[in-house]
Amino acid sequence: MHPKYLSIFILLYISSCKFIFPISDLDPKVLDQKTAENRAKQVTNVRYDISLDITKKETFHGVTSIHFDFIKNDSPLRVDLANAVIESVQVNNKTLQGIDYEKGHFMISVNHLSPGRNTIKVAYTHPFSRSGNGLHIFNDPEDNETYIYSQFETNHAQAMFPCFDQPDIKASYKLDVLHPKKWKIVTANLADKKTSENEFTRSYFPETLVFSTYIFSLHAGPYAEWMDRYGKLSLKLYARKSMAKYVDHKLWFQVTKQGLRFFEKYFGIDYPFSKYDQLIVPEFNFGAMENVGAVTFSERFLSRGKVTRSGKEKLASVILHEMAHMWFGNLVTMKWWDGLWLNESFATYLAAKAQYEATEFKEAWETFFTGMKSWAYKADKSITTHPIQGKVSDTEEAFTNFDGITYGKGASVLKQLEFFIGEEEFRVGVSNYLKKYSYSNATLLDFLTSLEESSGRDLKKWSSEWLESEGFNRLLAEKTCDSSGKYLESIQLTQDHITNTKIPRSHKTQLALIKLQSNKPVLMGTQTVEYGEGITKIKWNTEVECPDFIFSNYGDYDFVRTDYPSEILEEKNLSTLKSILQGMDTLSTLMIWRDLFEEVRDGDLSLNRYKNLTMDILPQDKRDIVLESNLGHITSPSFSSYHSFLYLKKQSDRQLELEELEEYTWKHMLGSPSQSDRKKLWFRGYVAIGQSNDFFQRTIQLLTNKESISGLSLDQDMRWSLLKKICSLTSDRSRINELLDAEKKRDSSRIGLNSALACEAATPDPVTKGIWMNRFTKPNEVYSPSTLRTVLHYIFPIHQKNLQIPFVEYFYQNIKEGKIEGDENYQETYAYSLAPSFCTEENRHILRKFINNNRNLPANILKSLKIKLESEEECLLIRKKNGF
């Protein structure tokens, strides 16, 4: 699509639209902090007795008794219960009439409660969830088996049982469940009794230790099961029967046992609960969830082909992240959601630490940088950034904080803190904190006090700078050599705060001096330094030659944006940069590559020069992680890759370059070692770029087995990636439908069905697009939120932006009128995926105006739109600087 046609449409749209958003009442399921604080003063010593019947297909029945000590005050007591049909409510054996129920909670008058022990008993019916939150049900199309699992964070426990759904009212739980006889039931404890009731079984689970509602769980179904032990601790792993063949249970248990051993030693505390089960479940909204004794994982961590080392490493990281939560988050929990980072940042950081020290995946700090830390820098640069420890007014706002700040920046800042106060001092402080607040809740002050006691350092200023303030600093390291130019005299570190932060910070980093010898970088020495506001002069601790390059964050201990002297990026010095990129250790190489792409994003480095540098170096660098983390900057089908910007050119101007990129990826894929992970990475790039007739015809030959790629076995998911791409290239369905029918016969799984629907939606046909745009507004049993999220990714690829134009107004109308059904997870995906991204001034103007005129949109939708607006602004900057 040439941008001039888009401009005409958008100018017409601006003149015709009115941006009005109706003000709606607060969702009754939302809990605000003030209400939570008041309720925490009313109740203590809570126990839930939960009895469930899950034998029906659409709904489940429950009877829950809440036992608690009541501390009398004048406020009625709120009980959370979302979207249920309440049959009866009893308080201390007296049935209440006329309960005012708002589908999210009901209130109990203090007149019905007595100081001391009380019981509220509720009988109710509730629909099973299709959204992935609450008690979710899934029917497997391959074997028609049914599976159930729960997901309660942040406040969805109330979608299974009435409760005080907030993190600082910890409780114990007794559970019994009526279920089909062949089903396995998994929760926080092992069952201690089973009875038969006609054709069903009732399983009984004893009272648990105390923990928060959001980490209680229930899972049910005919799961495949694997068993192991860690000392006396029971370990089990579960997956759908139809997915069992893809589960490498030996790897799961190996990493699990390595992690348990590491964390028990590191924390000085034995695993704090009775068992450790892990369940791999379908249609899961997140990566995983740290339920006590029954951790859930998305099936996205299963591969239906040969698993790459990168895939295994990512799985190990997530297993260890969730395990770390058993101590950080489950044993000790934040009081309110403003302390979410105390859970997620620690789990993220300590997972990398455990992975590096206890498993085979010694690349942990490299993948930590390319994943979590890069996410952190991006999130902290955004206008949607926030302090790591900030204000969270309610549970709706809490959901928006599951982001790169809470996970990535928090973990990165903890790495800086450990370096700042000392590794052992940090470990001892963490251990003491966990021991002191076991099975209770804690605050930031509690955590800092423990670290201050172990390190002997006052951390109030550090906390104010790093945890309670947003943004990051920039650091420029400049050398001064002696008059002969041979020896280093000093290094000047300049810290500024010209990005989006308002303050300088206290930093500790490691400098490294690099000298080129025979065009290869040689590490001449390192030195640990602390620096603060303004300029810090550093004298090297030994006499050393003047370096060719200074690495100002060697080892990646600091959280700071590295600036380079301007001459480093000049064309005449690119040979020096190439030598450094090809010869440095992997972590340093990855850090420099990221810095270079940030220079592109800031408009300080030509995208074309970056592309040429990348295409030259990547085939020569044999480290897969370097290829994986940088190839997408050329081949990705989304802004701001080089590939994406070609679609801002006229078709005649871009076609040759697209074919050159296609040939480039194909050539290096063929030249990669047989059956290697590297070959798969190049294949992925080839599919992303592919659009020529040669690509189209070759894909048909591959899918019909008339052609093959030497040394590359096409697994089922790779076949779908090819088919989805060619579906997006032609509206002639005759040939495509034949291929699609054949592929659906090969793969009747839910993944296959979703992929087939994505193929349909990707068709470059306005009528098809209209059908799917309507479907996206109403997730249902046929088109679940999980299915629609898959399809959303393929509806308007980079080469079909012209087909999105007629639906722009429809998108904005749906958002402002609140017509998007589904939960907060789905609505966020809808908003981000379909918000127009055209890289034009007109589109930026519309999006900004819509945001400014609709500040009362749900927090998650508003945040998604702001992030999309920032992407549009970045794209425009690069476009202007590079003349696209």
Side-chain angles (χ1 to χ4, degrees):
M1 171 198 59
H2 191 270
K4 75 173 183 179
Y5 303 115
L6 178 62
S7 301
I8 292 170
F9 171 81
I10 293 183
L11 286 171
L12 291 171
Y13 180 67
I14 290 174
S15 64
S16 65
C17 267
K18 295 180 180 178
F19 298 102
I20 302 170
F21 188 81
I23 298 175
S24 59
D25 294 330
L26 189 67
D27 187 333
K29 297 187 293 297
V30 172
L31 178 67
D32 65 87
Q33 186 175 10
K34 184 176 180 181
T35 301
E37 289 173 346
N38 183 64
R39 184 163 62 180
K41 297 174 184 176
Q42 292 179 288
V43 298
T44 186
N45 193 21
V46 180
R47 188 186 87 221
Y48 298 101
D49 291 349
I50 306 165
S51 180
L52 298 177
D53 178 347
I54 58 172
T55 58
K56 294 183 172 59
K57 292 183 178 180
E58 300 297 328
T59 63
F60 62 92
H61 185 266
V63 178
T64 296
S65 295
I66 312 172
H67 308 282
F68 60 97
D69 293 339
F70 181 65
I71 303 166
K72 190 171 180 64
N73 65 21
D74 295 333
S75 300
L77 179 62
R78 169 172 166 153
V79 179
D80 301 317
L81 180 60
N83 302 318
V85 176
I86 296 178
E87 298 168 4
S88 65
V89 177
Q90 294 182 355
V91 178
N92 298 327
N93 296 318
K94 294 182 180 179
T95 300
L96 302 188
Q97 303 296 332
I99 287 289
D100 185 12
Y101 177 50
E102 299 185 68
K103 300 296 182 184
H105 67 268
F106 58 88
M107 310 298 287
I108 302 294
S109 168
V110 293
N111 297 328
H112 300 299
L113 300 168
S114 304
R117 203 68 176 159
N118 289 258
T119 298
I120 299 172
K121 185 177 182 181
V122 185
Y124 56 96
T125 300
H126 198 290
F128 284 111
S129 166
R130 303 281 179 178
S131 71
N133 287 328
L135 195 58
H136 183 87
I137 192 166
F138 173 82
N139 185 260
D140 191 332
E142 284 194 86
D143 56 16
N144 205 35
E145 296 283 12
T146 298
Y147 296 88
I148 293 169
Y149 64 83
S150 64
Q151 169 58 28
F152 292 159
E153 195 172 29
T154 51
N155 65 325
H156 294 289
Q158 59 182 290
M160 190 178 89
F161 63 100
C163 56
F164 307 129
D165 207 356
Q166 62 189 72
D168 63 338
I169 301 182
K170 290 195 169 186
S172 60
Y173 308 80
K174 285 182 68 176
L175 174 69
D176 68 76
V177 183
L178 185 68
H179 58 88
K181 287 184 182 295
K182 66 176 181 178
W183 283 14
K184 298 178 177 70
I185 307 298
V186 182
T187 184
N189 274 352
L190 292 169
D192 62 355
K193 186 175 74 170
K194 292 185 179 183
T195 59
S196 293
E197 296 184 18
N198 299 319
E199 70 269 35
F200 302 113
T201 296
R202 188 174 294 276
S203 296
Y204 297 84
F205 299 86
E207 184 176 356
T208 68
L209 297 167
V210 296
F211 50 83
S212 303
T213 49
Y214 78 92
I215 43 180
F216 185 57
S217 66
L218 172 64
H219 317 272
Y223 286 98
E225 179 185 54
W226 299 265
M227 292 181 285
D228 207 329
R229 299 198 71 82
Y230 170 72
K232 296 181 180 180
L233 184 67
S234 168
L235 306 178
K236 291 183 181 179
L237 178 64
Y238 299 89
R240 281 192 287 147
K241 290 192 293 186
S242 63
M243 296 295 286
K245 56 183 172 290
Y246 305 119
V247 177
D248 183 355
H249 65 277
K250 292 181 180 179
L251 176 63
W252 281 79
F253 284 134
Q254 178 186 34
V255 174
T256 298
K257 287 185 276 190
Q258 288 169 333
L260 287 166
R261 191 175 300 114
F262 173 84
F263 287 127
E264 287 186 336
K265 181 179 179 181
Y266 186 85
F267 294 133
I269 302 171
D270 288 344
Y271 174 74
F273 301 103
S274 63
K275 66 179 179 67
Y276 198 74
D277 295 343
Q278 298 170 99
L279 301 99
I280 310 164
V281 300
E283 299 190 329
F284 198 60
N285 288 331
F286 306 101
M289 180 63 204
E290 65 270 19
N291 309 306
V292 168
V295 181
T296 39
F297 293 83
S298 167
E299 287 183 345
R300 292 190 295 275
F301 293 108
L302 297 181
S303 172
R304 300 195 295 171
K306 180 186 175 184
V307 185
T308 64
R309 179 173 179 85
S310 175
K312 293 178 181 179
E313 186 274 333
K314 286 181 174 66
L315 173 61
S317 175
V318 177
I319 290 173
L320 295 170
H321 175 105
E322 304 307 320
M323 185 182 296
H325 274 308
M326 297 300 132
W327 289 265
F328 248 104
N330 296 7
L331 178 63
V332 180
T333 312
M334 72 272 168
K335 286 184 68 68
W336 179 244
W337 296 106
D338 57 354
L340 176 65
W341 79 278
L342 282 170
N343 289 9
E344 300 300 345
S345 300
F346 265 95
T348 302
Y349 176 62
L350 290 174
K353 195 174 187 69
Q355 191 177 338
Y356 179 78
E357 296 188 17
T359 76
E360 68 179 275
F361 301 106
K362 302 306 178 186
E363 64 268 39
W365 291 120
E366 296 156 10
T367 57
F368 176 83
F369 174 79
T370 59
M372 284 295 168
K373 196 157 192 178
S374 294
W375 184 24
Y377 282 128
K378 183 176 181 180
D380 210 20
K381 185 180 178 181
S382 171
I383 58 172
T384 64
T385 189
H386 55 86
I388 295 171
Q389 172 86 25
K391 182 180 178 181
V392 176
S393 59
D394 55 46
T395 50
E396 180 184 80
E397 187 176 358
F399 175 76
T400 69
N401 281 356
F402 286 82
D403 60 10
I405 302 300
T406 297
Y407 286 78
K409 184 181 179 182
S412 302
V413 166
L414 289 174
K415 186 176 183 180
Q416 165 71 178
L417 178 58
E418 183 186 63
F419 193 58
F420 192 71
I421 69 173
E423 188 172 6
E424 182 60 14
E425 289 82 358
F426 181 83
R427 188 201 67 79
V428 170
V430 167
S431 176
N432 291 342
Y433 166 80
L434 291 173
K435 290 173 180 176
K436 183 174 183 178
Y437 297 102
S438 289
Y439 303 104
S440 64
N441 299 85
T443 65
L444 171 61
L445 180 60
D446 299 327
F447 170 68
L448 290 176
T449 299
S450 291
L451 292 183
E452 287 178 335
E453 291 171 353
S454 65
S455 68
R457 299 189 70 154
D458 187 338
L459 295 176
K460 295 180 183 62
K461 179 174 180 289
W462 185 91
S463 175
S464 175
E465 292 173 351
W466 286 99
L467 301 179
E468 300 163 61
S469 301
E470 72 276 5
F472 57 82
N473 304 112
R474 301 170 75 115
L475 178 64
L476 175 64
E478 297 174 291
K479 65 186 178 184
T480 298
C481 300
D482 65 7
S483 56
S484 69
K486 185 175 181 180
Y487 294 102
L488 178 68
E489 194 169 276
S490 66
I491 295 174
Q492 177 176 291
L493 300 180
T494 304
Q495 176 190 176
D496 66 43
H497 43 96
I498 62 173
T499 48
N500 60 344
T501 187
K502 300 179 178 67
I503 61 167
R505 292 175 174 83
S506 305
H507 294 254
K508 188 175 182 179
T509 191
Q510 188 170 219
L511 303 178
L513 306 183
I514 308 299
K515 190 78 174 176
L516 291 180
Q517 296 179 2
S518 302
N519 289 324
K520 293 184 179 179
V522 175
L523 179 64
M524 301 168 62
T526 63
Q527 186 168 314
T528 299
V529 300
E530 293 189 19
Y531 65 95
E533 182 175 2
I535 295 174
T536 303
K537 289 273 191 178
I538 304 295
K539 286 286 186 182
W540 206 254
N541 50 21
T542 59
E543 185 177 74
V544 64
E545 288 185 56
C546 205
D548 294 308
F549 186 82
I550 301 171
F551 206 102
S552 59
N553 186 17
Y554 190 67
D556 193 31
Y557 298 105
D558 204 353
F559 186 77
V560 68
R561 167 77 181 272
T562 300
D563 283 341
Y564 295 102
S566 57
E567 64 269 16
I568 289 288
L569 301 178
E570 293 176 1
E571 188 72 38
K572 64 183 180 181
N573 291 317
L574 282 184
S575 59
T576 299
L577 202 54
K578 285 182 180 180
S579 297
I580 291 169
L581 284 168
Q582 291 176 285
M584 287 291 289
D585 64 273
T586 303
L587 178 57
S588 299
T589 300
L590 293 167
M591 294 171 72
I592 297 172
W593 271 119
R594 187 189 181 278
D595 290 338
L596 289 175
F597 198 67
E598 284 303 299
E599 296 290 337
V600 173
R601 284 177 162 146
D602 288 347
D604 295 327
L605 177 64
S606 158
L607 180 57
N608 195 60
R609 284 176 60 197
Y610 175 86
K611 182 263 295 187
N612 291 338
L613 186 70
T614 306
M615 291 180 70
D616 183 21
I617 292 178
L618 288 187
Q620 301 175 50
D621 194 320
K622 301 307 178 185
R623 294 169 291 188
D624 288 352
I625 190 173
V626 175
L627 178 65
E628 183 176 15
S629 59
N630 291 287
L631 184 59
H633 294 156
I634 304 174
T635 62
S636 169
S638 58
F639 296 117
S640 298
S641 74
Y642 186 79
H643 171 210
S644 66
F645 278 101
L646 293 179
Y647 284 93
L648 298 177
K649 295 184 175 185
K650 292 181 181 179
Q651 183 169 356
S652 58
D653 294 338
R654 70 173 179 251
Q655 192 60 33
L656 181 60
E657 289 193 68
L658 285 170
E659 289 177 2
E660 287 176 352
L661 284 176
E662 191 177 301
E663 177 59 28
Y664 170 80
T665 53
W666 176 255
K667 171 187 172 183
H668 291 297
M669 188 264 293
L670 291 180
S672 296
S674 178
Q675 305 300 332
S676 65
D677 294 353
R678 192 173 189 81
K679 207 172 192 75
K680 283 190 173 183
L681 293 173
W682 283 111
F683 174 82
R684 188 188 305 164
Y686 173 68
V687 175
I689 289 290
Q691 50 78 51
S692 68
N693 184 60
D694 285 348
F695 171 82
F696 192 92
Q697 296 303 325
R698 179 180 286 144
T699 294
I700 291 176
Q701 295 294 98
L702 289 169
L703 291 175
T704 55
N705 299 316
K706 294 176 181 176
E707 187 178 324
S708 62
I709 301 172
S710 177
L712 182 68
S713 302
L714 292 180
D715 63 40
Q716 186 59 62
D717 294 327
M718 294 164 74
R719 292 178 62 87
W720 277 119
S721 71
L722 285 167
L723 185 50
K724 283 182 282 193
K725 186 58 182 285
I726 64 169
C727 281
S728 75
L729 298 176
T730 179
S731 55
D732 180 4
R733 299 298 298 179
S734 57
R735 188 72 176 100
I736 293 295
N737 285 340
E738 184 181 337
L739 292 169
L740 198 52
D741 289 343
E743 213 60 37
K744 286 193 288 187
K745 288 180 181 178
R746 287 176 61 98
D747 182 14
S748 61
S749 69
R750 171 54 60 186
I751 297 172
L753 294 176
N754 288 351
S755 295
L757 293 174
C759 283
E760 177 189 318
T763 304
D765 167 56
V767 175
T768 301
K769 302 297 185 188
I771 292 170
W772 277 101
M773 287 296 289
N774 183 58
R775 286 172 179 167
F776 289 146
T777 64
K778 298 178 181 179
N780 54 41
E781 184 176 348
V782 177
Y783 300 108
S784 70
S786 177
T787 292
L788 293 181
R789 276 195 294 269
T790 298
V791 179
L792 275 165
H793 186 67
Y794 295 94
I795 185 71
F796 294 119
I798 191 69
H799 52 284
Q800 290 184 10
K801 289 296 182 180
N802 59 318
L803 292 173
Q804 190 174 0
I805 293 173
F807 301 101
V808 170
E809 185 172 359
Y810 180 72
F811 165 78
Y812 283 124
Q813 203 74 23
N814 286 333
I815 291 291
K816 71 181 181 181
E817 293 180 4
K819 290 183 177 179
I820 311 306
E821 299 178 7
D823 66 4
E824 64 270 24
N825 300 281
Y826 179 73
Q827 291 174 358
E828 180 180 293
T829 304
Y830 176 93
Y832 186 80
S833 299
L834 293 179
S837 177
F838 300 139
C839 203
T840 65
E841 292 285 354
E842 295 90 344
N843 187 59
R844 174 173 64 176
H845 177 76
I846 287 177
L847 186 50
R848 180 189 291 139
K849 185 175 181 180
F850 183 82
I851 291 170
N852 290 338
N853 290 350
N854 294 280
R855 294 290 181 181
N856 56 347
L857 286 168
N860 59 321
I861 292 178
L862 191 61
K863 183 173 182 178
S864 292
L865 295 178
K866 287 180 178 179
I867 292 171
K868 188 57 75 81
L869 174 61
E870 277 191 326
S871 296
E872 194 78 348
E873 290 172 337
E874 177 187 283
C875 186
L876 283 166
L877 174 63
I878 298 172
R879 182 177 187 179
K880 180 180 179 181
K881 292 283 187 177
N882 290 272
F884 284 104

